[in-house]
Amino acid sequence: MGRLIIVSNRVPSPRERSQPAGGLAVGLKDALREGESLWFGWSGKQVQLHGGDPVPRLDRVDNVTYATIDLTPLQYEGFYQNFSNGILWPLFHYRVGLMNYSRTDWKTYLAVNAMFARTLLPLLRPDDVIWVHDYHLFPLGQALRDLGVKCRIGFFLHIPFPPWSLVRSLPGADLLLEDMQSYDLIGVQTPEDAENLNHSLQANGLDARGQAFPIGIDPDEFRAQAEKSMEGPEVERLEGSLRGARLVLGVDRLDYSKGLPERFRGYEALLARYPEHRGKVTFLQVAPISRGSVEEYRQLRRQLDELTGRINGAYSEFDWTPIRYIITRPLPREVLAGFYRRAEAALITPLRDGMNLVAKEYVAAQNPANPGVLILSHFAGAAPEMDEGILVNPYDPDEIADALHAALTMGLAERRTRWQALEQEVSSTTAISWAADFLRALEAAPVAGRS
């Protein structure tokens, strides 16, 4: 195999290139260690360009060359904000009603993908293996094929793939699916996603190319981070502030797909139906803001503010506050690892998720002698792998309340038995195995660019 070429919407920032923190960067860390590699994508910057395509900036760290390009403000708005995140993101999370389609944005999306292909082309070699990531770049494979690229090209979708009955609501969905025929292999997170993708392709007379490759984490590294963080000042401060209360933890980006209002109502139902937990348990939700300029996200923040005020107003005591939430900034990954280990329960209730690595991080962080309990939505991509947790329907606050009560009253023997099964799963499906399995399957796949 020649060089591995990673293409994603965003390239890791300079500070992440030696110490990766983002999910994709962590997942690809080991794949990038072998041989020479190149990672191509958007720099995160917006600039005004006056004619022509941007020139990639090259930066080498060890054996990896990072090639970044800038977008214009109009490209950023049409390609990234409006089409990728304003249309594809809600659609692929089963929220068709939040789509706001514009043909201008569709054309910009295609044009930016074509620009990505043109600027990547001079950096390629004939024996490269190209791995394209996520919904921003569905048409990129075909754009590369149109330029004569014949090497292997694989694609991985990190978010869910909905049924054709939903996908077809996108104008031009059939054209996107045709473009995806340019990929030799299409990876998704779960068998359900693969089934939905392949049915959509076949419904349009196209070959099925989807396979499930569930992504994981580096459990050994995360476990070591959690153990180290338990001795750190942040966990000590958290411990002191809890004043002996048990901790339920939620960690999510602020997004309508994460089921945060439903989660807050479930915790409220716990306090209403199981008063013995009042004053004895604190719910901490970490939800850093992203896409804060989008109206749906501003509405979500207002909704959470109102729910928090209502619940704390109804149940707070002079020395106890039921809900705390951090919504303005992300916590460092190593600090979160310690918080996971400290928490008696993790409450993870997405309405729809590609995988949800928070669930796997929580399991990896636990103390084997006294593990906490994972409460997970049926609609997380990780749920089929992690049914030894307590699975809930996030739309039912009483079911969440019952799960919280069960977790907070569960005996040590049952907690250990559940955790051991979960830990075995997290340790067997890792970031390393995910990348290796996909690349092995891509190497074996027929190449779409050759006759």
Side-chain angles (χ1 to χ4, degrees):
M1 189 172 91
R3 293 183 307 169
L4 176 61
I5 309 298
I6 301 296
V7 188
S8 59
N9 172 57
R10 285 290 298 275
V11 171
S13 65
R15 65 180 176 80
E16 284 190 298
R17 292 173 188 177
S18 296
Q19 297 291 330
L24 181 58
V26 171
L28 292 173
K29 181 176 63 173
D30 284 274
L32 292 169
R33 282 177 180 160
E34 299 182 9
E36 186 182 359
S37 301
L38 183 142
W39 194 328
F40 177 90
W42 176 40
S43 66
K45 298 178 181 177
Q46 300 175 54
V47 298
Q48 289 290 356
L49 296 177
H50 302 286
D53 292 332
V55 177
R57 289 187 295 274
L58 305 181
D59 178 28
R60 190 174 180 89
V61 178
D62 299 326
N63 63 316
V64 182
T65 298
Y66 296 90
T68 57
I69 57 174
D70 302 328
L71 295 180
T72 69
L74 286 177
Q75 288 172 333
Y76 170 81
E77 182 179 4
F79 158 75
Y80 181 73
Q81 289 280 68
N82 294 352
F83 198 85
S84 295
N85 292 327
I87 297 174
L88 295 179
W89 179 269
L91 171 62
F92 280 71
H93 286 86
Y94 294 62
R95 301 293 294 274
V96 177
L98 296 180
M99 287 172 50
N100 186 17
Y101 178 82
S102 157
R103 186 171 293 184
T104 299
D105 295 332
W106 161 248
K107 291 179 178 178
T108 303
Y109 176 77
L110 295 177
V112 169
N113 271 270
M115 181 270 288
F116 265 53
R118 291 192 302 271
T119 51
L120 174 60
L121 182 65
L123 305 178
L124 296 177
R125 302 172 188 169
D127 62 344
D128 286 336
V129 174
I130 304 171
W131 192 0
V132 180
H133 288 268
D134 233 358
Y135 58 102
H136 314 82
L137 302 175
F138 279 131
L140 180 61
Q142 186 59 53
L144 288 168
R145 298 296 189 203
D146 291 342
L147 295 174
V149 174
K150 296 186 180 297
C151 54
R152 296 185 184 278
I153 310 179
F155 180 89
F156 192 86
L157 182 65
H158 292 262
I159 63 175
F161 198 100
W164 172 239
S165 58
L166 293 181
V167 175
R168 69 189 304 176
S169 63
L170 172 68
D174 56 333
L175 301 178
L176 277 186
L177 291 167
E178 287 178 19
D179 283 346
M180 292 176 72
Q181 290 286 283
S182 61
Y183 295 113
D184 309 309
L185 176 65
I186 305 170
V188 290
Q189 297 279 18
T190 70
E192 180 183 358
D193 294 328
E195 182 180 347
N196 288 341
L197 167 61
N198 287 331
H199 178 259
S200 294
L201 291 166
Q202 291 166 339
N204 286 272
L206 304 170
D207 294 336
R209 297 210 174 147
Q211 294 184 37
F213 298 90
I215 194 170
I217 64 170
D218 183 338
D220 294 333
E221 180 185 60
F222 200 79
R223 184 178 302 110
Q225 281 187 331
E227 292 171 353
K228 181 179 179 181
S229 183
M230 287 296 289
E231 307 300 323
E234 294 87 356
V235 173
E236 183 179 351
R237 286 173 54 197
L238 174 65
E239 189 71 60
S241 72
L242 290 172
R243 300 169 59 89
R246 310 183 81 188
L247 177 63
V248 173
L249 181 65
V251 178
D252 308 83
R253 186 169 52 81
L254 185 67
D255 190 276
Y256 48 74
S257 68
K258 301 300 183 182
L260 297 179
E262 290 78 7
R263 186 178 312 175
F264 282 34
R265 294 188 189 103
Y267 180 70
E268 181 182 26
L270 171 77
L271 300 179
R273 294 180 51 219
Y274 298 96
E276 62 267 33
H277 294 297
R278 297 178 194 174
K280 297 178 181 178
V281 61
T282 295
F283 173 38
L284 171 61
Q285 175 65 56
V286 180
I289 294 174
S290 66
R291 307 172 192 166
S293 61
V294 178
E295 177 57 28
E296 287 84 2
Y297 292 82
R298 291 198 295 265
Q299 291 177 2
L300 175 60
R301 181 173 182 177
R302 287 194 295 269
Q303 186 179 13
L304 294 177
D305 287 343
E306 292 169 1
L307 282 168
T308 301
R310 185 182 80 201
I311 295 166
N312 285 343
Y315 294 103
S316 289
E317 301 288 348
F318 69 89
D319 60 349
W320 172 67
T321 302
I323 293 183
R324 308 176 188 177
Y325 81 124
I326 302 171
I327 202 166
T328 56
R329 64 192 185 282
L331 291 177
R333 194 164 182 264
E334 60 272 16
V335 173
L336 280 175
F339 285 12
Y340 288 141
R341 193 173 179 91
R342 169 58 183 82
E344 278 83 4
L347 186 56
I348 303 169
T349 57
L351 305 182
R352 186 67 60 171
D353 243 351
M355 176 52 62
N356 197 298
L357 296 182
V358 170
K360 299 189 175 187
E361 290 175 343
Y362 179 74
V363 170
Q366 293 310 292
N367 178 356
N370 188 25
V373 179
L374 174 67
I375 303 170
L376 184 63
S377 165
H378 284 288
F379 306 119
E385 305 173 53
M386 307 186 79
D387 57 0
E388 296 85 0
I390 302 178
L391 300 186
V392 297
N393 184 330
Y395 294 98
D396 185 348
D398 288 322
E399 188 169 330
I400 294 173
D402 291 341
L404 282 167
H405 176 69
L408 294 168
T409 58
M410 188 179 294
L412 178 59
E414 183 178 352
R415 284 189 281 118
R416 281 179 173 170
T417 298
R418 286 175 176 267
W419 175 81
Q420 287 165 358
L422 290 167
E423 194 275 336
Q424 184 176 5
E425 177 60 41
V426 170
S427 294
S428 62
T429 304
T430 66
I432 296 173
S433 67
W434 164 74
D437 289 348
F438 183 91
L439 291 173
R440 192 180 303 113
L442 177 59
E443 184 70 18
V447 181
R450 296 176 187 160
S451 57

